[in-house]
């Protein structure tokens, strides 16, 4: 199975740190944030990776190249204009192939182990869900017996959890989409409404590294490993 890291965001909330450095290259405990993902994916047996890029993307390409130095094979999906999460994934599908792939948001930090991830037969997506962080009062999805549901239709399936930015997706999730900029979340919600999304709960270390303050928190947590 291949993996894709989303690394095309501009990092607006991280300014001024991202004015001259793409967010995935900001340091966490002495190494770029994206290296934590690369090393974790490699340990789990993933060797073929696709990374999208836009803002200051040439720095990412220069830092990682084809991945050979990390015993990886990296293909790059360049975006000339912002395509958001869904559009960016769709642009990269020719590089990912026809089989399910692991997706990782490049702006999270976590100790999650990727080696057990899979997509159950008949599902379009499998999501890793976490407790709602302090900065997010309302969660994204409910989880019950491995089935993901939208909060409005979940009924007796509490609690509502946050999507971690880690998933296994089928390319079929994007089959009806036109090329261009669009978000991933509506596709996941539609698939969940149809009963086509499974999930799991992760209770370990996880951070949405979206602000300088949370970058400092990631640095503190990672430094203790």
């Amino acid at each position: 199975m291949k993996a894709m890291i989303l690394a095309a965001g501009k990092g607006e909330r991280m300014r001024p740190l991202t004015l001259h450095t793409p967010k995935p290259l900001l340091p966490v405990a002495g190494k770029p944030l994206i290296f934590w993902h690369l090393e974790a994916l490699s340990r789990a047996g993933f060797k073929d990776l696709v990374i999208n890029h836009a803002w200051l993307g040439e720095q990412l390409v220069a830092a990682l190249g084809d991945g050979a130095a990390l015993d990886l094979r990296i293909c790059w999906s360049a975006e000339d204009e912002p395509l958001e999460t869904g559009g960016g994934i769709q642009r990269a599908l020719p590089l990912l192939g026809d089989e399910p792939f692991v997706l990782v948001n490049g702006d999270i930090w976590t100790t999650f182990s990727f080696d057990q991830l899979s997509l159950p037969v008949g599902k379009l997506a499998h999501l890793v869900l976490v407790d709602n962080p302090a900065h997010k009062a309302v969660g994204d999805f409910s989880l019950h017996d491995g089935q993901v549901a939208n909060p409005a239709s979940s009924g007796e399936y509490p609690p509502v959890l946050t999507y971690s930015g880690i998933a296994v997706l089928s390319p079929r999730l994007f089959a009806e989409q036109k090329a261009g900029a669009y978000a991933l979340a509506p596709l996941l919600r539609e698939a969940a409404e149809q009963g086509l999304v499974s999930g799991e709960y992760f209770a370990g270390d996880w951070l949405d590294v979206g602000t300088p303050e949370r970058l400092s928190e990631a640095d503190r947590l990672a430094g203790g490993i």
Side-chain angles (χ1 to χ4, degrees):
M1 188 161 41
K2 293 183 179 181
M4 180 177 184
I5 300 176
L6 295 174
K10 203 168 183 179
E12 298 279 5
R13 293 176 300 163
M14 196 67 83
R15 290 190 172 193
L17 298 177
T18 51
L19 287 175
H20 304 290
T21 303
K23 184 158 55 171
L25 290 184
L26 293 176
V28 172
K31 59 186 172 186
L33 175 60
I34 197 170
F35 274 64
W36 290 90
H37 298 318
L38 297 174
E39 292 171 357
L41 288 166
S42 179
R43 286 195 300 270
F46 293 89
K47 297 302 178 183
D48 292 294
L49 273 59
V50 175
I51 304 174
N52 70 340
H53 68 85
W55 174 250
L56 301 176
E58 68 280 357
Q59 293 188 31
L60 280 169
V61 176
L64 302 177
D66 62 2
L70 299 168
D71 195 26
L72 298 168
R73 293 178 291 272
I74 297 176
C75 291
W76 295 94
S77 181
E79 299 177 11
D80 297 327
E81 57 183 359
L83 294 177
E84 301 185 57
T85 49
I89 296 168
Q90 184 174 356
R91 166 75 67 87
L93 287 180
L95 299 172
L96 290 163
D98 298 327
E99 298 300 318
F101 58 91
V102 167
L103 180 74
V104 186
N105 285 4
D107 57 359
I108 62 170
W109 180 86
T110 182
T111 57
F112 180 80
S113 178
F114 295 91
D115 55 352
Q116 298 299 317
L117 278 177
S118 64
L119 184 63
V121 174
K123 301 298 185 183
L124 292 179
H126 178 84
L127 309 183
V128 178
L129 303 176
V130 296
D131 291 322
N132 300 329
H135 63 271
K136 184 174 180 178
V138 180
D140 302 312
F141 297 99
S142 293
L143 180 66
H144 181 71
D145 288 342
Q147 182 73 22
V148 168
N150 293 315
S153 61
S154 59
E156 70 277 18
Y157 298 164
V160 179
L161 301 167
T162 288
Y163 168 50
S164 68
I166 302 171
V168 186
L169 303 181
S170 167
R172 294 187 293 116
L173 182 67
F174 306 88
E176 304 300 322
Q177 298 300 308
K178 295 181 180 179
Y182 62 89
L184 175 62
L187 298 188
L188 296 177
R189 294 200 179 282
E190 181 179 350
E193 196 68 31
Q194 298 172 8
L196 297 175
V197 181
S198 62
E200 63 186 88
Y201 170 69
F202 176 62
D205 290 329
W206 175 89
L207 280 175
D208 170 4
V209 188
T211 65
E213 292 75 20
R214 282 182 242 147
L215 180 67
S216 296
E217 176 66 6
D219 192 71
R220 183 188 68 80
L221 287 174
I225 294 178

